[in-house]
Amino acid sequence: MNLLSKKYNIYQLLIASLALLSWFWLFQIRPVQADSANYTDTKVSGVVTVKSQTAPLYNDNGQLIVSRALGPHSAWLTGLLRIINGQQYYQVSTHEYIAADSVTYQTQKVLGVPFISQEAAGAPMGCEAASGLEALHYKNYAKNYDLRAFLRTMPIAGDNNPYHGFGGTPYRVTPGIYQSIFPDAYTPWLNKFGHAANLSGATKADLQQQIDRGNPVVTWVTLRYTPARWVHFFWGYDVDNAHVVTLDGYNDQQFHIADPELGVYWVNKDQFMQAYNHMKFAVAVY
């Protein structure tokens, strides 16, 4: 073979290689993008749970992805509902979808408010301050304050009236004093660090609307959602076993709570509302 023939063969090999690489790039590497004219997207916020059988996955165009599926009864976050030619799909990853008839869908929204322990700060009666700081930190307020420093800024009621400020001290139990602070004095305090609104009297729908807007809500309930113990004080009757927590999410049946005493958890909506409705105190941080 002469030199010219060798150069020709090398040139053919190079052309073939480039063609192969082009084909690989077009059909293997790039994700398949759906034509926007052929689908409609709706933003959602929830969880899809696969039914009793393994469910296949589909690409952006609604085409089956070979060898990819989700196991039965597994749960997946979703933020998008796509309709392609009348068929509904929930997005479960960047370019993967699952058919709506393969899953059950439940609305769920959780803001992710950070947990702050009142006990770690040595404040067994400091749930109001801890819950408020949880909400402020989530909205990027008062980031240079830990709970100990934040407690030092809390208004103290000289007459021990919680409508005027905190009664007594948050650092120990003091018999005969109602150790709390109510929204009338609490809201102006939080407003020194961010934006807060007194929503006392808010309904369940009102509370959920705040979560939809991205606003955690500090709420007055009872400790462990037990029945209220009403006690008479010089300024009136109130719940002696009250507790303050931050509401930061919900699904169809439950509320999501950042509790400075008990941690982060879900609680049944009816159970929460029963405890909340005794006082109906709520303050949103926005």
Side-chain angles (χ1 to χ4, degrees):
M1 181 182 295
N2 59 36
L3 182 60
L4 182 61
S5 297
K6 287 182 180 180
K7 287 183 178 180
Y8 180 75
N9 289 338
I10 292 173
Y11 176 75
Q12 284 185 314
L13 180 60
L14 179 60
I15 293 298
S17 298
L18 289 174
L20 181 61
L21 286 172
S22 298
W23 178 90
F24 186 78
W25 180 78
L26 284 171
F27 295 100
Q28 299 297 318
I29 296 178
R30 293 197 317 175
V32 178
Q33 298 293 334
D35 182 353
S36 60
N38 296 330
Y39 71 81
T40 57
D41 285 345
T42 302
K43 289 183 178 180
V44 296
S45 179
V47 174
V48 290
T49 302
V50 180
K51 295 179 181 179
S52 57
Q53 295 183 344
T54 299
L57 292 175
Y58 300 84
N59 65 18
D60 295 291
N61 283 326
Q63 298 168 334
L64 180 67
I65 300 175
V66 179
S67 73
R68 290 283 291 162
L70 300 180
H73 309 299
S74 58
W76 304 84
L77 291 174
T78 184
L80 184 73
L81 172 65
R82 172 164 290 184
I83 301 177
I84 306 174
N85 298 323
Q87 175 66 48
Q88 296 183 342
Y89 302 87
Y90 287 105
Q91 187 177 33
V92 292
S93 68
T94 305
H95 294 290
E96 293 182 325
Y97 299 75
I98 191 168
D101 57 10
S102 299
V103 298
T104 57
Y105 172 82
Q106 177 176 247
T107 298
Q108 178 170 301
K109 187 175 183 66
V110 177
L111 301 181
V113 166
F115 167 70
I116 296 176
S117 170
Q118 65 190 77
E119 299 292 347
M125 306 300 288
C127 57
E128 298 89 350
S131 294
L133 193 58
E134 288 176 339
L136 287 168
H137 278 186
Y138 173 75
K139 300 297 284 189
N140 289 316
Y141 301 134
K143 297 293 282 187
N144 56 330
Y145 284 82
D146 61 14
L147 183 54
R148 291 179 185 274
F150 190 59
L151 280 163
R152 290 194 289 270
T153 72
M154 184 168 64
I156 303 298
D159 58 358
N160 290 326
N161 186 331
Y163 287 97
H164 300 157
F166 192 88
T169 174
Y171 301 109
R172 62 181 180 275
V173 177
T174 307
I177 296 178
Y178 194 85
Q179 294 171 266
S180 185
I181 179 173
F182 289 167
D184 284 355
Y186 185 80
T187 308
W189 175 39
L190 295 193
N191 272 319
K192 293 180 179 180
F193 300 90
H195 298 289
N198 186 349
L199 299 182
S200 294
T203 65
K204 179 168 64 176
D206 294 332
L207 296 174
Q208 291 185 179
Q209 185 179 63
Q210 289 299 316
I211 302 304
D212 290 337
R213 292 174 178 174
N215 303 329
V217 185
V218 179
T219 53
W220 279 247
V221 291
T222 57
L223 183 62
R224 301 182 188 275
Y225 309 95
T226 54
R229 296 195 307 266
W230 291 92
V231 177
H232 181 263
F233 295 88
F234 71 91
W235 41 265
Y237 283 92
D238 223 305
V239 179
D240 190 44
N241 59 327
H243 184 47
V244 178
V245 300
T246 303
L247 170 63
D248 80 326
Y250 69 90
N251 60 31
D252 292 344
Q253 302 296 328
Q254 301 169 302
F255 279 127
H256 192 261
I257 304 296
D259 183 330
E261 178 67 28
L262 303 175
V264 178
Y265 54 81
W266 289 95
V267 62
N268 179 271
K269 283 183 179 179
D270 291 339
Q271 186 180 11
F272 176 91
M273 292 304 298
Q274 186 175 19
Y276 163 79
N277 282 333
H278 294 307
M279 303 173 75
K280 289 190 175 181
F281 286 168
V283 174
V285 177
Y286 62 95

